[in-house]
Amino acid sequence: MALLITSTSTLPVLAAAPQQRQLASAQPILLLAEKSEDDKNEKKKKKKKKQESQQKQNKQQSDQKKSKGSTSQTNKVSDKKREKIYEQGRQDGLKTGKQKGKDKGFREAQRQQWKAWNNNDWRRHNNSRRNIWVTPVQYNRGFYNNPSWARNSNWGNNRPWGGNNNNWYSNNNNPSWSWWGGQALGWGVNALTTALIVNSAVNNAIRQRQPTVAVPNSSMQLYYGSVEPSDDTDVTFVVNKNGNAFQMEADCSDGLLDGEVPISLAEAELINTACQVAFGSI
């Protein structure tokens, strides 16, 4: 009996030993698993942080590129817009046999360019310029079909447009047109016909009941009664050239004929004559 009691009292201790050993051996595994999980989480956090940092850096670089390109892009759009306006003006003008090209930004750039051109630049321009003498019109209006202001010796004061438009044009024999210096040098001239001569020619034509005046330094005849302003600086008119009548437009401020710089002294004199009849002092 004593042996049995002793034996049974020791069984729980013996039975517990393997279980304790199992728990002891499982603890390192649990610790390793927990550490591995922590490492994974830490790696995920670092990876996420790195991605966020990279995204932030990419955004900053993108913003910097946009900032640097914004000025040039704005200028590019502005230049493109000016060119579009100019071309639209050309197309609108061509529909009525005219060509304005009145966009101010484009025109100012052209003025500066013309001032800088040398003889070779002007020669290339004159050789490549479009032909503006291509579409004759029917025009047989005689002197008695002229408007009333163009049938009277006091025609300068009778011009119906009057107001601030009247009497502003004056070439002073040497116009301020930006292209004048370069072109005139190539033509070998330094002056245009004076207002006095143009006015005298119109007076003589009215006295003689003639519908045209000779354009100085040319073979052309201007139908002075056809002269009519289209705005403060532009004028439309009909001119006879080589037996054909042409509806033309002159920009008196820039000295352009149908939107183009004249390629001959004769064309420059035509602009000058028409502008003097329309806006010149008497």
Side-chain angles (χ1 to χ4, degrees):
M1 287 296 289
L3 289 172
L4 288 170
I5 294 170
T6 303
S7 176
T8 54
S9 62
T10 57
L11 283 175
V13 175
L14 293 172
Q19 186 176 5
Q20 289 175 349
R21 284 196 297 270
Q22 287 178 355
L23 291 172
S25 63
Q27 275 184 335
I29 296 173
L30 290 173
L31 290 173
L32 287 173
E34 289 175 358
K35 185 178 180 181
S36 176
E37 187 67 25
D38 290 341
D39 288 344
K40 287 182 181 180
N41 291 335
E42 186 65 25
K43 286 181 180 179
K44 286 181 179 179
K45 288 180 181 179
K46 287 182 179 180
K47 184 176 181 181
K48 184 177 180 181
K49 188 174 181 180
K50 186 177 180 180
Q51 288 176 341
E52 290 175 349
S53 176
Q54 186 64 42
Q55 288 174 353
K56 185 176 181 180
Q57 185 177 355
N58 291 341
K59 186 176 185 303
Q60 288 176 344
Q61 291 176 349
S62 177
D63 291 341
Q64 287 176 354
K65 288 181 180 179
K66 288 180 180 178
S67 177
K68 288 180 180 179
S70 62
T71 301
S72 59
Q73 183 66 23
T74 299
N75 291 337
K76 186 180 292 185
V77 170
S78 180
D79 292 341
K80 186 176 180 180
K81 183 177 180 181
R82 283 199 298 269
E83 194 68 30
K84 184 178 179 180
I85 293 172
Y86 174 65
E87 289 301 327
Q88 185 61 49
R90 290 179 56 147
Q91 294 303 319
D92 291 345
L94 287 172
K95 292 176 183 178
T96 57
K98 308 169 191 174
Q99 187 173 20
K100 285 189 175 182
K102 294 295 293 180
D103 176 61
K104 299 303 181 184
F106 182 87
R107 183 61 67 215
E108 181 57 34
Q110 283 294 92
R111 291 190 191 103
Q112 298 303 319
Q113 184 183 50
W114 291 332
K115 287 180 180 179
W117 277 4
N118 58 32
N119 287 344
N120 289 331
D121 294 323
W122 281 114
R123 191 176 296 110
R124 281 192 292 269
H125 166 78
N126 294 339
N127 290 337
S128 62
R129 193 197 74 173
R130 68 183 177 86
N131 184 9
I132 60 178
W133 303 96
V134 294
T135 311
V137 297
Q138 293 294 323
Y139 190 89
N140 299 312
R141 193 165 73 187
F143 173 79
Y144 293 101
N145 296 118
N146 276 347
S148 60
W149 69 268
R151 299 197 307 267
N152 190 296
S153 59
N154 198 29
W155 61 272
N157 294 320
N158 291 335
R159 290 176 290 194
W161 42 94
N164 293 329
N165 290 338
N166 206 7
N167 301 334
W168 71 264
Y169 177 80
S170 176
N171 64 43
N172 294 319
N173 303 103
N174 193 3
S176 59
W177 300 331
S178 54
W179 55 263
W180 170 255
Q183 284 283 59
L185 183 64
W187 299 331
V189 298
N190 57 15
L192 287 171
T193 301
T194 64
L196 181 64
I197 293 176
V198 174
N199 293 346
S200 178
V202 175
N203 288 335
N204 288 336
I206 289 174
R207 280 195 295 267
Q208 297 171 13
R209 303 297 188 262
Q210 296 295 322
T212 64
V213 292
V215 176
N217 297 305
S218 80
S219 60
M220 294 181 282
Q221 296 83 37
L222 171 68
Y223 287 93
Y224 58 91
S226 69
V227 170
E228 184 177 357
S230 55
D231 61 26
D232 289 353
T233 61
D234 288 8
V235 58
T236 61
F237 56 88
V238 177
V239 60
N240 186 294
K241 177 181 171 68
N242 298 329
N244 292 312
F246 293 89
Q247 175 82 38
M248 308 295 284
E249 181 175 40
D251 183 327
C252 300
S253 178
D254 285 329
L256 306 179
L257 186 63
D258 268 20
E260 299 278 357
V261 173
I263 61 173
S264 66
L265 177 60
E267 289 187 350
E269 289 283 19
L270 174 61
I271 298 170
N272 179 53
T273 303
C275 291
Q276 173 59 32
V277 171
F279 302 121
S281 60
I282 306 302

